[in-house]
């Protein structure tokens, strides 16, 4: 009876496995042929191909739920032999579990200790059999039912084999490309020389890291009489009125087409090939672009690594080196105080709170400043840059984050680092402070004294010497550090679809986790961080979408720290799943358009998030045109929103003042309360005083060792001094002669 039941279950299962194996073998052979397409493979790749595959991370395997068997004729065994004694059966099952022979057989079938335990627990609930040694075949069959990846592990390993990425692009390997590396520091003209060749070519593509850079090349090309299109994730601009593609295109690196043939291709900022999130895009462009000439621009530290990558494609590389066009010097001492700022100074911060604080302190001293940080829309960044660059504008000082490192031409005389550490989130999702990399410091410091600047002599420095990273900033200005010798890779939609064929019940997040766990790369590559992808995949897992649409949604470039953006993303996916187009009226209702000007910093941050939501709509509109149909109208209100944000940033000091509580009053009250309670009992009692004291920020900073009581007193004195100066300046500068109320001084 047990054997007949086994046959009824095993035969159709075997048929399914055989059919799946045939199709999987076909897919695997196709992938194998793709890997064998290239003619040149470096020795290190050959050696890595012979290495044994790494064991999978079985913690990622999620068991499939199975229903108990239901027999048409009833339980014949129970009718003939009476129901089994469950206590005896439990003892039998436990003896099976403890037998070393069974565990060894399971290990040979791909069941490690973790999977063996999970499968046994499931099997014990699912099936009760009679003889201890006869249980194993049924147990193994049951284990393969709840862990279907055990039957196709070899196919999954072939699909996730990423060891020879150069062979993924047969069109590029079919031509002999000429690779020219333009190496030099910032403001050395390396990109300029590459663009000059791009403009003289019959056809070309520029691949940059930012929309601002792509837009700049787009404008320069068309101004020079070379018809050029613009392609970014959120925008398509064709110079031809009939939307026919031009011979030249300026695009962001992720949007480059690796199947279109060009005469010249320019890849900017090649050192970002090692970026943990976006490095795959530079790898794809470098290995896959079909162009007769590939012009690569970047740091000299990347030369050796790019040359080694070119060995895997059988292509030689020519190197052109450039020196900085304007001299750069280092300050002998720190600036020390904001009172020592001069026209053309740029203070670099690494948090928006520092931006707000320093910009207010600067304007309290009677000086105007421009503000640039990463979450501002591109139009607002350009507006602030124009304001700072204008010699006739009273704004002579810039306060910015590292967003100025690329994409903006700024007339900066002196770069001043407010800090050399920036907040970051580690792999566990915990916030931590990290010292900026030498490459980042070089990129930022090099923005001073560019050839287009009014200040050809530049000086990077720091605001205060009270940091143990002080010498680091001086050293990095003159020394190019070694570049980490790895390039990023990322699984494609096709690879994930092949995984899903073998694992139809797995979630997208689980699929990509298993892919990364099984993936094999050689020493020159790494798999890029997939945390953002998994975050979005988990967010919309409950929404019914086909796999390809789900994958596209999860590759959307959104800031997951913005709650409103994440909520909008979820609503977009839900509306999409209902097959209901997201119209202009729908999006206006969602964002409550029209929006008023910001009254405080909180309003400004919300407007920036709304701008990101509109960016998300435009990004999706070019992937699902029928479901996001009103691109033109959405872009129009986004431009209006950009103007509202620009106005808010111009008045950022007023917004900060409206946001801040009357801190002076709070400190004065605390001081009076502290003086009042000396030698007397507080009306609240000791318990109330202790609770209020422990909840204060100053108490927590002192408790954590970040401040000392003496330093806190000094900071309070300095703050009161600044506020008195602020009050004096405001009363002097106010043309109406009006003074602010004491509570807001």
């Amino acid at each position: 009876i047990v054997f007949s039941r086994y046959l009824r279950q095993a035969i159709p299962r075997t048929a399914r496995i055989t059919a799946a194996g045939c199709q999987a073998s076909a897919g695997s052979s196709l992938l194998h042929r793709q890997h064998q397409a290239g003619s040149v493979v470096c020795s290190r790749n050959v050696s890595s191909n012979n290495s044994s595959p790494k064991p999978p991370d079985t913690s990622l395997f999620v068991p499939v739920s199975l229903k108990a068997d239901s027999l048409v004729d009833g339980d014949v065994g129970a009718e003939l032999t009476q129901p089994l004694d469950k206590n005896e059966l439990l003892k039998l099952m436990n003896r099976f579990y403890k037998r070393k022979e069974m565990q060894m057989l399971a290990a040979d079938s791909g069941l490690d200790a973790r999977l063996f335990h999970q499968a046994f627990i499931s099997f014990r609930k699912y099936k009760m059999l009679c003889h201890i040694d006869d249980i194993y075949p049924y147990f193994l069959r049951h284990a393969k039912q709840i862990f279907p990846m055990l039957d196709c592990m070899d196919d999954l390993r072939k699909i996730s084999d990423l060891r020879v990425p150069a062979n993924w692009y047969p069109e590029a390997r079919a031509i002999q490309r000429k690779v020219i590396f333009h190496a030099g520091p910032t403001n050395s003209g390396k990109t300029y020389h590459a663009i000059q060749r791009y403009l003289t070519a019959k056809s070309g593509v520029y691949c940059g890291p930012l929309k601002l850079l792509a837009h700049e090349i787009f404008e320069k090309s068309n101004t020079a009489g070379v018809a050029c299109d613009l392609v970014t994730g959120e925008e398509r601009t064709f110079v031809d009125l009939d939307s026919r593609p031009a011979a030249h295109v300026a695009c962001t690196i992720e949007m480059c087409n690796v199947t279109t043939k060009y005469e010249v291709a320019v890849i900017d900022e090649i050192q970002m090939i090692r970026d943990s999130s976006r490095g795959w895009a530079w790898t794809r462009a470098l290995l896959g672009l079909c162009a007769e000439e590939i012009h690569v621009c970047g740091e000299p530290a990347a030369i050796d690594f790019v040359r080694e990558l070119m060995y895997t494609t059988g292509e030689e590389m020519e190197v052109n080196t450039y020196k900085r066009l304007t001299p750069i010097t280092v300050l002998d001492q720190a600036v020390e105080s904001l009172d020592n700022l001069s026209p053309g100074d740029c203070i670099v911060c690494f948090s928006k709170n520092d931006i707000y604080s320093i910009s207010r302190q600067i304007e309290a001293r009677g000086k105007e400043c421009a503000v640039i940080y990463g979450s501002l829309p591109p139009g607002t960044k350009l507006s602030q840059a124009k304001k700072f660059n204008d010699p006739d504008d009273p704004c002579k000082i810039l306060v910015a984050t590292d967003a100025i490192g690329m994409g903006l031409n700024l007339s900066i005389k002196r770069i001043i680092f407010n800090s050399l550490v920036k907040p970051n989130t580690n792999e566990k999702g915990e916030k931590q402070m990290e010292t900026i990399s030498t490459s980042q410091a070089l990129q930022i410091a090099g923005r001073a004294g560019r050839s287009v600047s009014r200040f050809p002599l530049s000086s990077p420095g720091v605001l205060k010497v009270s940091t143990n990273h002080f010498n680091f900033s001086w050293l990095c200005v003159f020394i190019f550090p070694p570049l980490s010798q790895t390039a990023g890779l990322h699984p494609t939609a096709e690879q994930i679809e092949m995984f899903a064929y073998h694992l139809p019940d797995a979630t997208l997040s689980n699929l990509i986790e298993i892919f990364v766990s099984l993936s094999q790369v050689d020493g020159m590559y790494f798999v890029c961080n997939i945390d953002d992808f998994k975050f979005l995949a988990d967010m919309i897992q409950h929404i019914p979408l086909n796999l390809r649409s789900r994958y596209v949604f999860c590759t959307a470039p959104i800031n997951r720290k913005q709650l409103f953006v994440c909520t909008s993303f979820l609503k977009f996916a839900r509306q999409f799943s209902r097959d209901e187009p997201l119209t202009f009226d729908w999006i206006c209702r969602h964002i409550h358009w029209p929006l008023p000007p910001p009254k405080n910093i909180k309003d400004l941050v919300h407007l920036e998030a709304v701008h990101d939501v509109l960016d998300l709509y435009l990004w999706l509109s070019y992937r699902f045109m029928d479901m996001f149909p009103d691109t033109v109208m959405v872009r129009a209100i986004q431009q209006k929103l950009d103007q509202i944000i620009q106005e808010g940033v111009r008045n950022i000091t007023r917004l900060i003042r409206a946001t801040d509580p009357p801190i002076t009053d709070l400190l004065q009250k605390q001081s009076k309360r502290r003086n009042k309670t000396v030698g007397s009992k507080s009306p609240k009692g000791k318990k109330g005083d202790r609770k209020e004291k422990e909840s204060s920020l100053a108490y927590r900073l002192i408790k954590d060792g970040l401040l000392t009581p003496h330093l806190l007193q000094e900071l309070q004195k300095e703050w009161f001094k600044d506020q008195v100066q602020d009050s004096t300046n405001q009363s002097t500068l106010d043309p109406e002669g009006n003074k602010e109320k004491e509570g807001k001084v």
Side-chain angles (χ1 to χ4, degrees), residues 182-193 297-300 320-326 446 450-451 480:
H182 300 269
T186 55
N187 193 27
S188 60
K190 56 183 183 296
T191 307
Y192 169 81
H193 287 86
C297 307
E299 298 175 1
N320 297 332
T321 57
Y322 306 88
K323 294 182 178 180
R324 186 176 171 86
L325 298 177
T326 56
R450 294 179 65 83
S451 58
F480 283 99

Side-chain angles (χ1 to χ4, degrees), residues 415-426:
I415 289 284
I416 302 169
F417 287 94
N418 178 61
S419 172
L420 290 173
V421 294
K422 63 183 296 186
N424 197 8
T425 304
N426 60 20

Side-chain angles (χ1 to χ4, degrees), residues 660-672:
D660 289 344
I663 302 175
T664 311
D665 287 352
L666 293 176
L667 290 175
Q668 288 176 348
K669 288 179 181 179
Q670 289 179 0
S671 178
K672 289 180 181 179

Side-chain angles (χ1 to χ4, degrees), residues 262-475:
Y262 302 99
E263 182 180 349
V264 170
V266 178
I267 304 174
D268 208 357
E269 305 295 349
I270 189 61
Q271 67 274 4
M272 290 189 69
I273 198 170
R274 73 186 192 278
D275 186 83
S276 61
S277 299
R278 300 177 63 200
W280 63 269
W282 275 264
T283 305
R284 174 175 171 269
L286 181 63
L287 299 179
L289 279 172
C290 295
E292 298 173 15
E293 295 181 20
I294 306 289
H295 291 258
V296 179
C297 307
E299 298 175 1
I303 293 175
D304 292 339
F305 177 61
V306 174
R307 179 181 282 115
E308 189 173 0
L309 285 179
M310 292 300 96
Y311 287 155
T312 68
T313 65
E315 296 162 339
E316 297 182 358
M317 188 176 79
E318 174 186 329
V319 179
N320 297 332
T321 57
Y322 306 88
K323 294 182 178 180
R324 186 176 171 86
L325 298 177
T326 56
I328 184 170
T329 59
V330 180
L331 295 179
D332 296 329
Q333 60 183 9
V335 178
E336 292 289 354
S337 171
L338 296 177
D339 294 324
N340 299 327
L341 295 179
S342 59
D345 283 351
C346 171
I347 300 180
V348 178
C349 310
F350 294 103
S351 74
K352 289 171 71 172
N353 288 336
D354 289 344
I355 291 280
Y356 300 149
S357 174
I358 290 179
S359 60
R360 182 173 181 181
Q361 294 179 55
I362 291 174
E363 297 209 3
R365 289 165 167 78
K367 301 176 181 178
E368 286 193 33
C369 66
V371 173
I372 296 175
Y373 50 88
S375 59
L376 286 177
T380 304
K381 291 178 185 176
L382 291 172
S383 173
Q384 290 290 295
K386 183 179 180 181
K387 177 183 179 183
F388 174 72
N389 289 336
D390 188 356
D392 299 326
D393 195 288
C395 172
K396 303 298 182 185
I397 296 172
L398 175 64
V399 183
T401 64
D402 50 351
I404 65 168
M406 295 180 189
L408 292 170
N409 289 319
L410 297 164
S411 185
I412 298 174
K413 177 183 179 182
R414 185 168 59 170
I415 289 284
I416 302 169
F417 287 94
N418 178 61
S419 172
L420 290 173
V421 294
K422 63 183 296 186
N424 197 8
T425 304
N426 60 20
E427 296 178 354
K428 299 180 180 179
E430 301 168 342
K431 290 185 178 180
Q432 60 185 18
M433 302 299 291
E434 288 186 351
T435 305
I436 62 173
S437 67
T438 308
S439 177
Q440 289 174 314
L442 282 166
Q443 190 74 28
I444 297 168
R447 306 308 291 178
R450 294 179 65 83
S451 58
V452 296
S453 171
R454 306 192 308 272
F455 309 104
L457 295 177
S458 60
S459 303
V462 293
L463 186 57
K464 292 189 177 181
V465 190
S466 56
T467 169
N468 54 6
H469 305 296
F470 177 75
N471 291 331
F472 167 81
S473 64
W474 300 158
L475 187 63

Side-chain angles (χ1 to χ4, degrees), residues 14-29:
T14 305
R16 289 197 301 272
I17 292 175
T18 304
C22 292
Q23 296 186 31
S25 300
S28 301
S29 61

